[in-house]
Amino acid sequence: MPVSPDMAEDLARTVGSLYEQAEIALLERLRTDLAAGIDSPMWVNQKLAGLGDFQQGIRTLLDGLQTDTDGALREAISQAYERGQQAAVAELGALPVGQTAAAAEALPGAAVVDRLAAAVVGDTGPVYQRVLRVSVDVYRQTVAEAAASALTGAETRRQAAARALAKFAQRGVTGFVDKAGRSWDMASYAEMATRSAVGKAAVQAHTDRLEAAGLDLVVVSDSPEECPLCRPWERKVLSIGGSGARTVEVQHATADDRTVTVHIAGSLADARAAGLQHPNCRHRVSAYLPGVTQRPPAQEDRASYEQTQQQRYLERQIRTWKRRAAAAMDDDQRKAANAKVREYQGRVRDLLAETDGLPRKSHREQTGSAR
């Protein structure tokens, strides 16, 4: 059974959902705290006096999020590693009995799970501090802008607060920037990091099992709508432990008196370094048994790569306007935000109608419900 990062995507989605729920809860906490008593002449004093309570409420929310996600993260990575091991065992039935037995013997995965979980915790740890700091800053800034606008008569206090919250919701809770300079909202960044980790766990377990059975070669699948980074590696044979492109004569997988000529395009590590099996990648690798394994067939694209990226853009816009609805200060703003949600959902339907069966992924349009 071939393995790829997306075979454990559902596990990452569970963790991502926790962050989405926290994101919506945080926006709603901001909205309700700022809206309380907004027409009172003492509103500014009340809000500044209540800043400590607001800060403690956000800290409690984040503490709960960290507790929930740490456990869910380790469970997801552990399950992904197990899936990868099972995938390797399932595809090695054609091997001689000794090799099959070696592949079927469970490998200890605790060290791999611990390492991958620690990496994600390390990556997402700064997010928690930034969420707390940014939330307090937005609270203070909204109070200040609302007070100043009311004094100048430019707009009402409620209008100014609504404008500030809408701007915050538009960019996401954190506006987090990673080491590569890319901007992420909290939920998207955490899910990306988790999805990458569970994908690595599944692939690592798969290759660990193959090596335990004495196998060094894998073949890459062909995936429709592939990205430019992955395209050069499609349907190619790669080495788990070797390096460099080469043509070799190897032992037939099941016949002791035969050899097979195999062209190896490079190592699996080389291919990954070049972009293969990145987060969201659907390319699978499976054991390549010389003389037995057939190259995977080429698949017809259902859409262009550019259309798949357009779909992801529209999904992000849907999530953005759902956040705007959660942060809306009144019913008119909420209705307007929900109308934008429906507009972008319609654009998704129109885009998919132009393709040859590209599926709609509704889960990527969702945000969590406040808990």
Side-chain angles (χ1 to χ4, degrees):
M1 176 180 173
V3 67
S4 76
D6 73 346
M7 75 178 298
E9 185 177 350
D10 59 312
L11 302 175
R13 199 176 304 148
T14 300
V15 178
S17 177
L18 294 172
Y19 282 92
E20 290 169 350
Q21 292 169 19
E23 187 174 50
I24 295 299
L26 190 152
L27 284 168
E28 292 188 346
R29 177 65 186 258
L30 264 171
R31 173 178 56 80
T32 54
D33 276 29
L34 291 169
I38 198 169
D39 297 320
S40 167
M42 299 299 294
W43 180 77
V44 174
N45 292 334
Q46 291 171 354
K47 295 303 106 176
L48 294 179
L51 179 59
D53 290 340
F54 171 79
Q55 188 172 7
Q56 183 56 47
I58 298 303
R59 185 178 286 111
T60 299
L61 186 154
L62 293 175
D63 287 345
L65 173 64
Q66 192 161 22
T67 298
D68 291 346
T69 55
D70 284 358
L73 173 64
R74 182 177 175 81
E75 178 64 21
I77 294 176
S78 180
Q79 288 190 39
Y81 193 86
E82 179 60 25
R83 288 183 186 182
Q85 293 204 71
Q86 292 174 355
V89 173
E91 67 181 341
L92 296 180
L95 289 174
V97 173
Q99 286 180 288
T100 303
E105 184 176 349
L107 297 174
V112 176
V113 171
D114 287 344
R115 174 173 54 80
L116 291 172
V120 178
V121 170
D123 285 345
T124 56
V127 173
Y128 294 98
Q129 295 302 316
R130 181 169 174 81
V131 169
L132 179 60
R133 183 172 65 253
V134 169
S135 299
V136 172
D137 287 348
V138 169
Y139 183 100
R140 286 190 177 121
Q141 181 181 347
T142 302
V143 171
E145 289 184 10
S149 295
L151 286 175
T152 61
E155 55 187 344
T156 68
R157 187 185 294 152
R158 186 178 295 274
Q159 289 171 331
R163 176 174 49 77
L165 285 180
K167 183 179 179 181
F168 182 48
Q170 178 76 26
R171 70 174 185 263
V173 166
T174 69
F176 182 74
V177 179
D178 65 15
K179 295 177 182 177
R182 294 168 295 193
S183 296
W184 300 82
D185 62 73
M186 175 181 69
S188 296
Y189 180 76
E191 183 174 354
M192 179 280 297
T194 304
R195 191 167 59 244
S196 177
V198 296
K200 287 179 181 178
V203 173
Q204 181 68 54
H206 181 259
T207 54
D208 285 350
R209 277 295 182 96
L210 296 185
E211 287 187 299
L215 299 181
D216 180 58
L217 300 180
V218 294
V219 62
V220 182
S221 69
D222 182 271
S223 181
E225 302 90 51
E226 72 279 6
C227 76
L229 293 176
C230 297
R231 189 174 298 129
W233 303 102
E234 289 191 321
R235 308 175 69 220
K236 299 293 179 60
V237 176
L238 302 173
S239 168
I240 296 174
S243 63
R246 60 200 185 278
T247 299
V248 296
E249 197 77 12
V250 296
Q251 179 68 44
H252 191 285
T254 58
D256 292 339
D257 58 346
R258 294 172 57 190
T259 60
V260 179
T261 301
V262 179
H263 177 71
I264 300 173
S267 72
L268 185 56
D270 291 339
R272 288 176 183 163
L276 181 68
Q277 295 195 323
H278 53 77
N280 293 326
C281 182
R282 297 183 303 277
H283 284 89
R284 298 173 177 265
V285 296
S286 55
Y288 183 80
L289 307 181
V292 176
T293 302
Q294 299 295 315
R295 296 291 181 93
Q299 296 191 37
E300 293 292 331
D301 289 342
R302 299 162 296 182
S304 68
Y305 175 69
E306 290 71 24
Q307 284 175 313
T308 65
Q309 297 310 292
Q310 178 67 8
Q311 181 182 3
R312 295 191 72 82
Y313 164 77
L314 295 174
E315 291 163 351
R316 289 195 297 272
Q317 294 305 308
I318 291 170
R319 296 197 302 270
T320 292
W321 284 101
K322 285 183 175 181
R323 290 198 302 266
R324 292 280 294 267
M329 295 287 284
D330 57 46
D331 288 341
D332 288 342
Q333 291 175 340
R334 191 170 298 107
K335 288 178 182 177
N338 286 329
K340 295 294 287 185
V341 170
R342 292 191 294 272
E343 174 191 330
Y344 279 105
Q345 287 173 332
R347 289 176 61 178
V348 169
R349 290 192 294 269
D350 292 342
L351 173 66
L352 298 185
E354 298 171 4
T355 69
D356 186 22
L358 191 66
R360 184 170 183 177
K361 298 188 176 181
S362 298
H363 67 274
R364 295 204 308 225
E365 302 172 15
Q366 305 302 316
T367 58
S369 300
R371 50 183 177 172

